[in-house]
Amino acid sequence: MPYAKTGGLGDVAGALPKALCETNEADAALITPLYETTDRSLLDSLIIDNLEVEWHAGEDKPQARVFYSTATGAPAFLIDAPRYFARPGIYGYRDDYERYAFFCRAALALLKRLGTPPQIVHGNDWHSGFAIAELAARRSYDSFYQNTRTVFSIHNLAYQGQFDPAELPRLGFANEWQTFEIDGTANAMKAGLAASDVLSTVSSRYALEIQTPEHGYGLDWLLRLRSDRLVGITNGIDYDVWNPATDPHIAARYTSEDLTGKQVCKLDLLRSFNLPEEPDRPVIASISRLIPQKGYDLIREAAAALLESGAFFIVLGSGARENEEFLQRLREHAPHRVGIYIGFNESLAHKIEAGADMFLMPSLYEPCGLNQMYSMRYGTVPVVRATGGLDDTVQSFDRARGFGNGFKFEPYEAGAMIESLYEAVYCYHDEDAWRRIQTNGISADNSWQRAARRYTELYRAAMTMP
Ligand code: ADP
Ligand code: GLC
């Protein structure tokens, strides 16, 4: 963000370099493809008109240019390679592995062209696995990269960038078969995991989960093997972008001391979904990619019970057609209680965080999850399944001690989810208890400052690796 976004990695890529620069301990810059959807007015200047990239796939060499921008608050280099990135979508193409292999080679060429060897190259998810593998190989013969160390972060182990290993020579990895290969397939995630000096993922619990067959997607053995180099660092949230006191997208601004503006936001939200203005009815919201990871099975199974709680249900999302259709049908069935927006809408996401009372995230797995943290910042109470980062960031409300910032359930079962939701709705009607949960959530420190400090420690550790 703000160059491109399909989910949480977009937010992380925007916020982490900025937070790193603010520590004054790291001189960080982002390197990302220039996508067709990127708003060109964010670009400051064209700094390299013709970037020479080592590339042998295809007859003619793809053009690559580099733009510079500081729109995130940290330097960013955007690689403009029309052959691979002038397409309507970000991911999801048959040749994605080739697109990101080219991007990685272009990124390394750019670093050389800039002239100062980086101490750390920090790759994120499988798309960057090619750069991590290339740097490990280069160390022995390329003096420029001799002292560069690598950090590789897993944001979602389920997506691994698999392709036919016969493609490796075309991509310039003829000698890296072993790094990429698993079960007869080339795998860019595996290459990153195998070749990186240090590994991280986006929560402590997920760091443990991915070492088990249930969450390891065939790579748990490698993560167990390298567990001494693997840490979990919970993502932060960008407190400048997600701040109800300054948010330009919402109907009224409010602070943790005075939440009256939140009520104005709730009515505005109900109006924008053509729902009746009934302020005493709680609003349960969901903003997500409508895919199995996000627990849509449970929502489908429990939708009737959810509405029986007396709440409104508002969803912003897009993804699997069957889930989109289910939600449309649910709205037709209960038009005065259900609001659905199918599509991607950043501004509406802010409005929902501000106007909702509860935020539902019943994920099957969740490496970190950002919306539960955005929710807390907006006084919206998360109801989550205890998995990955959701488990690490949400503590169940304990009425007797006044402790806890949300509600969570462990088994992946509709009944368990409904029980948590009913408990939340029950508490909602107790003003003091509710105010307490909201305050506990608002006062949680989920800032990037904390996470950035942990990354700088990790970079230092990587720099001492032989
Ligand atoms: P994931 O990256 O797995 O999708 P996260 O919780 O880390 O999950 O991040 C999701 C991010 O994408 C959040 O910033 C959320 O607000 C945003 N998001 C997801 N779906 C939509 C949508 N349909 N419209 C706007 N923002 C969305
Ligand atoms: C992935 C994960 C999500 C995480 C995000 C940013 O998309 O699914 O849980 O918050 O990456 O790290």
mmCIF file of all heavy atoms in Angstrom, residues 7-9 12 125 155-156 202 235 289 293-294 365-370, ligand 2:
data_model
loop_
_atom_site.group_PDB
_atom_site.id
_atom_site.type_symbol
_atom_site.label_atom_id
_atom_site.label_comp_id
_atom_site.label_asym_id
_atom_site.label_seq_id
_atom_site.Cartn_x
_atom_site.Cartn_y
_atom_site.Cartn_z
ATOM 1 N N GLY A 7 -4.313 -8.061 -0.153
ATOM 2 C CA GLY A 7 -4.567 -8.509 1.216
ATOM 3 C C GLY A 7 -3.507 -7.917 2.125
ATOM 4 O O GLY A 7 -2.905 -6.878 1.820
ATOM 5 N N GLY A 8 -3.249 -8.619 3.228
ATOM 6 C CA GLY A 8 -2.407 -8.074 4.280
ATOM 7 C C GLY A 8 -0.963 -7.813 3.891
ATOM 8 O O GLY A 8 -0.342 -6.890 4.426
ATOM 9 N N LEU A 9 -0.417 -8.580 2.960
ATOM 10 C CA LEU A 9 0.984 -8.348 2.579
ATOM 11 C C LEU A 9 1.154 -6.956 1.966
ATOM 12 O O LEU A 9 2.206 -6.329 2.126
ATOM 13 C CB LEU A 9 1.469 -9.457 1.617
ATOM 14 C CG LEU A 9 2.923 -9.382 1.167
ATOM 15 C CD1 LEU A 9 3.898 -9.269 2.326
ATOM 16 C CD2 LEU A 9 3.276 -10.606 0.323
ATOM 17 N N VAL A 12 1.578 -4.694 4.903
ATOM 18 C CA VAL A 12 2.880 -4.896 5.541
ATOM 19 C C VAL A 12 3.991 -4.240 4.702
ATOM 20 O O VAL A 12 4.853 -3.532 5.223
ATOM 21 C CB VAL A 12 3.182 -6.401 5.718
ATOM 22 C CG1 VAL A 12 4.602 -6.625 6.224
ATOM 23 C CG2 VAL A 12 2.175 -7.031 6.685
ATOM 24 N N ASP A 125 7.360 -13.988 1.107
ATOM 25 C CA ASP A 125 6.554 -15.013 0.415
ATOM 26 C C ASP A 125 7.250 -15.556 -0.842
ATOM 27 O O ASP A 125 8.312 -15.106 -1.233
ATOM 28 C CB ASP A 125 5.146 -14.499 0.119
ATOM 29 C CG ASP A 125 4.175 -14.873 1.255
ATOM 30 O OD1 ASP A 125 4.581 -15.591 2.178
ATOM 31 O OD2 ASP A 125 3.005 -14.457 1.185
ATOM 32 N N HIS A 155 4.359 -15.297 4.778
ATOM 33 C CA HIS A 155 3.074 -14.673 5.115
ATOM 34 C C HIS A 155 1.936 -15.658 4.945
ATOM 35 O O HIS A 155 0.880 -15.494 5.540
ATOM 36 C CB HIS A 155 2.843 -13.419 4.270
ATOM 37 C CG HIS A 155 3.835 -12.351 4.575
ATOM 38 N ND1 HIS A 155 3.573 -11.324 5.444
ATOM 39 C CD2 HIS A 155 5.115 -12.186 4.170
ATOM 40 C CE1 HIS A 155 4.643 -10.558 5.547
ATOM 41 N NE2 HIS A 155 5.600 -11.064 4.791
ATOM 42 N N ASN A 156 2.134 -16.648 4.089
ATOM 43 C CA ASN A 156 1.103 -17.673 3.919
ATOM 44 C C ASN A 156 1.737 -18.880 3.238
ATOM 45 O O ASN A 156 2.054 -18.842 2.054
ATOM 46 C CB ASN A 156 -0.053 -17.119 3.073
ATOM 47 C CG ASN A 156 -1.275 -18.012 3.158
ATOM 48 O OD1 ASN A 156 -1.160 -19.220 3.377
ATOM 49 N ND2 ASN A 156 -2.439 -17.422 2.990
ATOM 50 N N VAL A 202 4.771 -14.445 10.554
ATOM 51 C CA VAL A 202 4.127 -13.243 11.065
ATOM 52 C C VAL A 202 3.373 -13.390 12.393
ATOM 53 O O VAL A 202 2.630 -12.498 12.770
ATOM 54 C CB VAL A 202 3.245 -12.609 9.966
ATOM 55 C CG1 VAL A 202 4.119 -11.967 8.901
ATOM 56 C CG2 VAL A 202 2.321 -13.648 9.324
ATOM 57 N N ASN A 235 2.870 -9.002 13.040
ATOM 58 C CA ASN A 235 2.769 -7.749 12.290
ATOM 59 C C ASN A 235 2.253 -6.634 13.184
ATOM 60 O O ASN A 235 1.497 -6.876 14.127
ATOM 61 C CB ASN A 235 1.758 -7.876 11.146
ATOM 62 C CG ASN A 235 2.254 -8.769 10.029
ATOM 63 O OD1 ASN A 235 3.441 -8.824 9.745
ATOM 64 N ND2 ASN A 235 1.328 -9.456 9.380
ATOM 65 N N ARG A 289 -11.140 -11.862 2.052
ATOM 66 C CA ARG A 289 -11.163 -12.644 0.819
ATOM 67 C C ARG A 289 -12.077 -13.835 1.133
ATOM 68 O O ARG A 289 -11.894 -14.510 2.144
ATOM 69 C CB ARG A 289 -9.744 -13.075 0.469
ATOM 70 C CG ARG A 289 -8.834 -11.876 0.218
ATOM 71 C CD ARG A 289 -7.413 -12.242 -0.152
ATOM 72 N NE ARG A 289 -6.684 -12.828 0.960
ATOM 73 C CZ ARG A 289 -6.113 -14.019 0.931
ATOM 74 N NH1 ARG A 289 -6.183 -14.770 -0.159
ATOM 75 N NH2 ARG A 289 -5.456 -14.478 1.972
ATOM 76 N N GLN A 293 -9.716 -20.374 3.591
ATOM 77 C CA GLN A 293 -8.848 -19.980 4.712
ATOM 78 C C GLN A 293 -9.595 -19.128 5.737
ATOM 79 O O GLN A 293 -9.326 -19.182 6.936
ATOM 80 C CB GLN A 293 -7.633 -19.183 4.184
ATOM 81 C CG GLN A 293 -6.728 -18.645 5.307
ATOM 82 C CD GLN A 293 -5.744 -17.577 4.823
ATOM 83 O OE1 GLN A 293 -5.483 -17.452 3.628
ATOM 84 N NE2 GLN A 293 -5.196 -16.810 5.740
ATOM 85 N N LYS A 294 -10.527 -18.324 5.254
ATOM 86 C CA LYS A 294 -11.151 -17.326 6.126
ATOM 87 C C LYS A 294 -12.358 -17.863 6.900
ATOM 88 O O LYS A 294 -13.061 -17.115 7.567
ATOM 89 C CB LYS A 294 -11.536 -16.095 5.305
ATOM 90 C CG LYS A 294 -10.338 -15.438 4.628
ATOM 91 C CD LYS A 294 -9.344 -14.880 5.651
ATOM 92 C CE LYS A 294 -8.100 -14.321 4.977
ATOM 93 N NZ LYS A 294 -7.112 -13.809 5.949
ATOM 94 N N TYR A 365 -7.095 -21.113 9.209
ATOM 95 C CA TYR A 365 -5.745 -20.777 9.684
ATOM 96 C C TYR A 365 -5.521 -19.303 9.380
ATOM 97 O O TYR A 365 -6.173 -18.744 8.498
ATOM 98 C CB TYR A 365 -4.669 -21.660 9.037
ATOM 99 C CG TYR A 365 -4.422 -21.381 7.574
ATOM 100 C CD1 TYR A 365 -3.434 -20.480 7.182
ATOM 101 C CD2 TYR A 365 -5.170 -21.994 6.581
ATOM 102 C CE1 TYR A 365 -3.208 -20.211 5.847
ATOM 103 C CE2 TYR A 365 -4.950 -21.725 5.245
ATOM 104 C CZ TYR A 365 -3.973 -20.829 4.881
ATOM 105 O OH TYR A 365 -3.752 -20.543 3.559
ATOM 106 N N GLU A 366 -4.640 -18.664 10.127
ATOM 107 C CA GLU A 366 -4.398 -17.240 9.915
ATOM 108 C C GLU A 366 -2.980 -16.896 10.353
ATOM 109 O O GLU A 366 -2.703 -16.767 11.543
ATOM 110 C CB GLU A 366 -5.402 -16.411 10.726
ATOM 111 C CG GLU A 366 -5.491 -14.957 10.309
ATOM 112 C CD GLU A 366 -5.972 -14.813 8.869
ATOM 113 O OE1 GLU A 366 -7.183 -14.992 8.621
ATOM 114 O OE2 GLU A 366 -5.125 -14.536 7.996
ATOM 115 N N PRO A 367 -2.056 -16.787 9.400
ATOM 116 C CA PRO A 367 -0.667 -16.505 9.765
ATOM 117 C C PRO A 367 -0.540 -15.330 10.744
ATOM 118 O O PRO A 367 0.134 -15.437 11.763
ATOM 119 C CB PRO A 367 -0.019 -16.211 8.406
ATOM 120 C CG PRO A 367 -0.827 -17.063 7.445
ATOM 121 C CD PRO A 367 -2.233 -17.014 7.957
ATOM 122 N N CYS A 368 -1.187 -14.214 10.418
ATOM 123 C CA CYS A 368 -1.246 -13.125 11.399
ATOM 124 C C CYS A 368 -2.663 -12.589 11.474
ATOM 125 O O CYS A 368 -3.340 -12.727 12.469
ATOM 126 C CB CYS A 368 -0.266 -11.999 11.050
ATOM 127 S SG CYS A 368 -0.372 -10.650 12.241
ATOM 128 N N GLY A 369 -3.110 -11.991 10.365
ATOM 129 C CA GLY A 369 -4.415 -11.319 10.373
ATOM 130 C C GLY A 369 -4.217 -9.889 10.812
ATOM 131 O O GLY A 369 -3.521 -9.618 11.799
ATOM 132 N N LEU A 370 -4.788 -8.972 10.055
ATOM 133 C CA LEU A 370 -4.647 -7.550 10.405
ATOM 134 C C LEU A 370 -5.964 -6.956 10.889
ATOM 135 O O LEU A 370 -5.988 -6.093 11.749
ATOM 136 C CB LEU A 370 -4.143 -6.764 9.185
ATOM 137 C CG LEU A 370 -2.759 -7.184 8.684
ATOM 138 C CD1 LEU A 370 -2.417 -6.458 7.394
ATOM 139 C CD2 LEU A 370 -1.703 -6.904 9.738
HETATM 140 C C1 GLC B 2 -1.102 -13.280 4.631
HETATM 141 C C2 GLC B 2 -1.872 -13.959 5.740
HETATM 142 C C3 GLC B 2 -2.368 -13.003 6.800
HETATM 143 C C4 GLC B 2 -1.296 -12.009 7.181
HETATM 144 C C5 GLC B 2 -0.781 -11.317 5.943
HETATM 145 C C6 GLC B 2 0.304 -10.283 6.250
HETATM 146 O O1 GLC B 2 -1.920 -12.789 3.635
HETATM 147 O O2 GLC B 2 -2.958 -14.713 5.231
HETATM 148 O O3 GLC B 2 -2.766 -13.735 7.943
HETATM 149 O O4 GLC B 2 -1.805 -11.062 8.097
HETATM 150 O O5 GLC B 2 -0.235 -12.248 5.068
HETATM 151 O O6 GLC B 2 1.391 -10.861 6.922
#
